[in-house]
Amino acid sequence: MRNDMFSVLRRSPFSLAKTRDVALRLGALIACLALLVVATPNSAQAFSDEELRNIAEQLNDKSASKKVAVIEEMAADGDPRVAPILKAMLDGDLYVRDSDEHVVIATKKGKVFTHIDIVSGEEVGESSSKELSKIKINNRLRGALRDALATLNLFSPDLNIRSAAVEQIMDARDPAMLPLLLRAIDREEDETLLARMELAQATMALAAGETTEERLSAIDVLASETTPQIRAVLSQFVASAEAEGYEPEVVAAAEDALEAVEGRLSTWQTIGDVYRGISLGSVLLLAAVGLAITFGVMGVINMAHGEMIMIGAYTTFMVQQALGTILPSGSAWSLVISVPAAFLVAGAVGVVIERSVIRFLYGRPLETLLATWGVSLVLQQAIRTIFGATNQQVTAPDFMSGAIEFSTGLVLTYNRLWIILFSIIVVAGIAAVLRYTAFGLQMRAVTQNRRMAGSVGIRTGYVDALTFGLGSGIAGIAGVALSQISNVSPNLGQTYIIDSFMVVVFGGVGNLWGTVLGAFSLGIVNKFLEPMAGAVLAKIFVLIALILFIQKRPKGLFALKGRAVEA
């Protein structure tokens, strides 16, 4: 067989030459591949062990400039063994061992320092502090180390670390980091992080790009993003464009991109103002809805309404303290228990005030004002005597902590979201009580015609007491909500009493839906005025506008026939 094969080859010189040519080409290909493997730098370990040890020893140089250059050189190759060395240097754990002049990472345990080899990462011995010399750093070196670590963290297997590194690089916008960022982009598989990396690349290319096309391409990428950070980048570029001598078409494109980003951010700012206004309106609604019953329906100018809110907040504090000894992690349950408890306690106090003071003053609004103002002072002093004048701490449950943050700068806090939902539930509950219960029917009957209601057998005095208790109890529920976003103190109610009267008067005395509309209107207007005029001036402007409005519509937005109106 073998002889047959050779005989065929000998008879076919063309086949022999062809076979030899194929063999030569195959050998050349293998050689090229071998050279390519040898010539390609190892991205995982750019330094050899000896090179890494030698360059690390240069970190002990006396010159800070030389140290910065060494740090940048170590970070530039992306060797994963470099990050622990630079991190140890930043933390003050990088030393030179006196016995062999080698750089080691030393961690202190008691009086003993454990040595960790910078190449292998393994423990290589122990010593006292006398056998080590610490590598000193200053603020300049700390900044260089942080930038270098951010660059190296681009290749971390942990997605969170890579994300933090990209954000740090975007803030620094150092063109020297661009080569490593490009390498990281080639490796990145997470699409969200890849988009952030390309955005960081564009922020660097905007100023450091070598051609007009590179800058225009960077502007296109930046114009698609809507964040305050990108607005700052474009603003800085446009401001320095004339001094830097950038091309006119690049400057024009940057100005257009800046205008587009600012327009979209303005829209998000408006959305944020509306949300904050609704949030403030829900707080005002909770504070005012009880007053809408006692003042709006009964015609009692109740200056002690704020103290009902305060009593609800202190009831929340007491419930949390009592439950804290039994269930330390049960802040959510304490909040659930506090709502009915605050309603009952504040409602009971309201019934006592109505039976002991208010019932003798119906039809004399100025005297009820003075009497309830005196009651408010008594209640404040009683709370100071019992709990002291200092603020009390009420812990919010976990589900009310935190916020939803958008890249556009919009932040929706969970506690405000829950209070908005809570205010809607409270108003719906009150509307249901007034509309569908016998007590609601009797209350409306007494409000509209007391004599007629009394003549058909309704106990008007009993309805008066329960109505005042209902308004006070709702104020106590408002105190539960306010304790989650503000300090619990004897002066808590005074903060909201004026706003509560403004809401009730603006919405229409005694009208529940007018109170809802008035609370949200005043809240939103306040939040739109505050950025322009400040918090105090905004309140003054709202008050002046409200006075002018009352001159035109004395009955508010929605007028209601009732005892106060008839009087």
Side-chain angles (χ1 to χ4, degrees), residues 423-445:
S423 66
I424 293 172
I425 294 173
V426 169
V427 171
I430 294 171
V433 168
L434 297 180
R435 180 70 179 83
Y436 299 109
T437 65
F439 169 67
L441 180 63
Q442 292 176 1
M443 191 179 78
R444 283 184 285 144

Side-chain angles (χ1 to χ4, degrees), residues 112-189:
V112 177
F113 285 79
T114 302
H115 302 180
I116 298 173
D117 187 73
I118 60 172
V119 174
S120 64
E122 297 176 352
E123 292 187 9
V124 290
E126 296 178 344
S127 72
S128 65
S129 60
K130 295 180 180 178
E131 300 175 49
L132 296 169
S133 299
K134 190 173 185 177
I135 295 180
K136 299 178 181 177
I137 61 174
N138 54 26
N139 289 335
R140 181 186 174 193
L141 288 171
R142 289 188 185 92
L145 287 167
R146 290 192 183 98
D147 291 343
L149 284 170
T151 306
L152 290 168
N153 286 338
L154 284 174
F155 304 99
S156 171
D158 190 327
L159 178 62
N160 294 328
I161 294 177
R162 296 203 304 277
S163 300
V166 171
E167 297 304 321
Q168 194 170 348
I169 287 174
M170 192 178 293
D171 290 337
R173 298 202 297 274
D174 184 358
M177 299 179 180
L178 188 57
L180 276 182
L181 181 62
L182 293 174
R183 286 173 55 190
I185 289 174
D186 290 338
R187 296 181 182 183
E188 187 57 53
E189 296 179 351

Side-chain angles (χ1 to χ4, degrees), residues 12-250:
S12 305
F14 175 76
S15 299
L16 275 173
K18 188 175 180 181
T19 303
R20 189 166 50 247
D21 185 51
V22 170
L24 288 172
R25 289 183 181 182
L26 184 60
L29 179 61
I30 294 172
C32 289
L33 289 174
L35 286 173
L36 186 62
V37 170
V38 172
T40 301
N42 189 348
S43 58
Q45 292 187 348
F47 293 110
S48 67
D49 292 353
E50 193 61 28
E51 286 173 343
L52 181 61
R53 203 178 296 283
N54 290 336
I55 196 170
E57 288 175 358
Q58 297 177 41
L59 292 172
N60 196 32
D61 196 282
K62 293 181 180 179
S63 168
S65 299
K66 179 68 179 298
K67 287 182 180 179
V68 171
V70 172
I71 292 168
E72 291 175 348
E73 183 181 354
M74 293 176 73
D77 283 325
D79 192 320
R81 296 172 298 175
V82 170
I85 300 173
L86 299 186
K87 179 70 168 55
M89 186 175 178
L90 182 63
D91 295 340
D93 293 333
L94 197 64
Y95 292 83
V96 175
R97 193 162 52 193
D98 294 341
S99 60
D100 54 7
E101 299 295 329
H102 281 172
V103 172
V104 294
I105 299 171
T107 55
K108 187 178 182 182
K109 296 179 181 177
K111 295 183 179 179
V112 177
F113 285 79
T114 302
H115 302 180
I116 298 173
D117 187 73
I118 60 172
V119 174
S120 64
E122 297 176 352
E123 292 187 9
V124 290
E126 296 178 344
S127 72
S128 65
S129 60
K130 295 180 180 178
E131 300 175 49
L132 296 169
S133 299
K134 190 173 185 177
I135 295 180
K136 299 178 181 177
I137 61 174
N138 54 26
N139 289 335
R140 181 186 174 193
L141 288 171
R142 289 188 185 92
L145 287 167
R146 290 192 183 98
D147 291 343
L149 284 170
T151 306
L152 290 168
N153 286 338
L154 284 174
F155 304 99
S156 171
D158 190 327
L159 178 62
N160 294 328
I161 294 177
R162 296 203 304 277
S163 300
V166 171
E167 297 304 321
Q168 194 170 348
I169 287 174
M170 192 178 293
D171 290 337
R173 298 202 297 274
D174 184 358
M177 299 179 180
L178 188 57
L180 276 182
L181 181 62
L182 293 174
R183 286 173 55 190
I185 289 174
D186 290 338
R187 296 181 182 183
E188 187 57 53
E189 296 179 351
D190 185 88
E191 293 185 359
T192 303
L193 184 56
L194 182 61
R196 295 295 294 174
M197 286 181 170
E198 290 173 348
L199 197 64
Q201 178 196 355
T203 61
M204 297 178 190
L206 180 62
E210 296 179 355
T211 64
T212 303
E213 288 71 20
E214 287 181 359
R215 292 195 179 95
L216 290 174
S217 177
I219 290 171
D220 285 342
V221 175
L222 296 177
S224 64
E225 189 73 9
T226 307
T227 65
Q229 195 177 20
I230 296 304
R231 178 176 58 186
V233 171
L234 290 171
S235 298
Q236 185 179 353
F237 180 80
V238 170
S240 62
E242 186 176 349
E244 298 291 339
Y246 292 119
E247 302 86 342
E249 59 268 33
V250 172

Side-chain angles (χ1 to χ4, degrees), residues 457-469:
I458 296 175
R459 298 166 59 190
T460 56
Y462 174 77
V463 173
D464 285 337
L466 288 185
T467 303
F468 199 88

Side-chain angles (χ1 to χ4, degrees), residues 271-287 289 335 399-400 404 410-429 477-478 480-482 484-485 516 519-520 523-524 527:
I271 294 172
D273 287 341
V274 170
Y275 168 74
R276 286 185 284 274
I278 292 174
S279 171
L280 176 60
S282 64
V283 172
L284 294 178
L285 178 61
L286 283 172
V289 70
L335 190 63
F399 66 86
M400 292 185 71
I404 304 172
L410 178 63
V411 178
L412 307 179
T413 55
Y414 289 137
N415 58 356
R416 295 282 180 174
L417 283 173
W418 279 107
I419 286 178
I420 292 173
L421 179 63
F422 185 63
S423 66
I424 293 172
I425 294 173
V426 169
V427 171
I477 292 177
V480 177
L482 294 178
Q484 306 300 312
I485 58 173
V516 175
F520 285 120
I524 292 173
K527 286 304 174 185

Side-chain angles (χ1 to χ4, degrees), residues 8 72 120 175 186 229 242 250 264 297 312 321 339 364 388 404-405 448 450 462 499 527 535 538 553 561:
V8 171
E72 291 175 348
S120 64
D186 290 338
Q229 195 177 20
E242 186 176 349
V250 172
R264 294 196 297 270
V297 176
Q321 291 295 310
V339 174
R364 291 181 287 179
I404 304 172
E405 297 185 20
Q448 293 178 10
R450 168 179 286 270
Y462 174 77
D499 290 334
K527 286 304 174 185
R553 290 180 65 90
K561 288 184 178 180

